Each structure stands twice: as C-alpha cells, then as structure tokens.
Amino acid sequence: QVQLVESGGGLVQAGDSLTLSCAASGRTFVAYDMGWFRQAPGKEREFVAVISGSGGLISYAVSAKGRFTISRDNAKNTVYLQMITLKPEGTAVYYCAARPHSGVPSRASSEYGYWGQGTQVTVSS
C-alpha cells in the first residue's frame, strides 16, 4: 500500500517556475515507478513525466520536454516535478501516481494503482 501527498501548487504568472513535490508512505518507495499526470478543466487526465524506481529511466510528454524535470529522492520517499517557463495551458490539477516497477515505466494512467489527491497549478497570462 502506498499513500501519496502532493504539494507545491499555486497561482503563478506565465513564465514563472514552480516545483511540485509528492511524498510517499511506505518503506519500498524505490520499488515503484513514479509518474506525474495533469488534468485541465474539461479535459482528460494526461501524462506529464515518469521516473523509474532507481531514477535511471525517465520519460516526458512532448509538452513537458525541455521545460519540466522529474526527479526523486529515495531517501526522502519523495518525487519532484520542477517546471520552468510555465504557460497558461499548463493550468491543471497535477497528480502523482505510483506503479510497481516492471520494465519500461508506463505513460498510461490506467496502469497506476496509487494516486495522490492532486495539487492545483494555475498559470495566469
């Protein structure tokens, strides 16, 4: 069982930076791939980034590549999403999710069994 709690969201202006954190419970954090997803109003939840348990495998959505950085600190049971040069279209609820590591980290939200409650990010123009 893994419990996830996101933090770090807020209201920012276009061009600003923001770092989200996701703290996980449990003693086997390293055994889980961790993903970040987001859901904008009226849209489906979409993949943002994922990092493998060891941190050696990372994948980004096209919209995130070059501006977002996912990282994790297994000693602190925490995964981060650093976002720079934020755009208004980045306004969404951001969720972290956990999936037991198995092969290539997945971009499919349906494969993640553990989710946080989400943190709102609002980017004003």
Side-chain angles (χ1 to χ4, degrees):
Q1 190 76 9
V2 178
Q3 292 183 326
L4 306 172
V5 179
E6 301 98 334
S7 61
L11 173 63
V12 297
Q13 293 186 334
D16 284 352
S17 300
L18 202 61
T19 297
L20 306 181
S21 300
C22 173
S25 65
R27 292 176 289 180
T28 58
F29 181 64
V30 69
Y32 289 84
D33 294 340
M34 299 298 298
W36 283 99
F37 295 80
R38 67 185 182 186
Q39 188 166 18
K43 295 188 176 181
E44 294 188 354
R45 191 169 299 185
E46 65 175 4
F47 167 78
V48 176
V50 63
I51 186 169
S52 63
S54 67
L57 295 174
I58 291 175
S59 180
Y60 295 99
V62 171
S63 59
K65 194 169 291 187
R67 295 187 301 114
F68 292 6
T69 301
I70 189 171
S71 62
R72 65 190 294 160
D73 185 338
N74 287 340
K76 295 183 179 179
N77 280 16
T78 301
V79 62
Y80 305 96
L81 184 68
Q82 181 182 8
M83 306 181 290
I84 65 172
T85 320
L86 283 161
K87 302 177 181 179
E89 52 263 42
T91 294
V93 178
Y94 285 71
Y95 299 89
C96 69
R99 171 181 179 264
H101 177 68
S102 177
V104 177
S106 175
R107 296 176 170 221
S109 60
S110 60
E111 296 195 12
Y112 288 77
Y114 303 100
W115 292 84
Q117 82 289 351
T119 186
Q120 176 72 47
V121 173
T122 302
V123 185
S124 64
S125 57

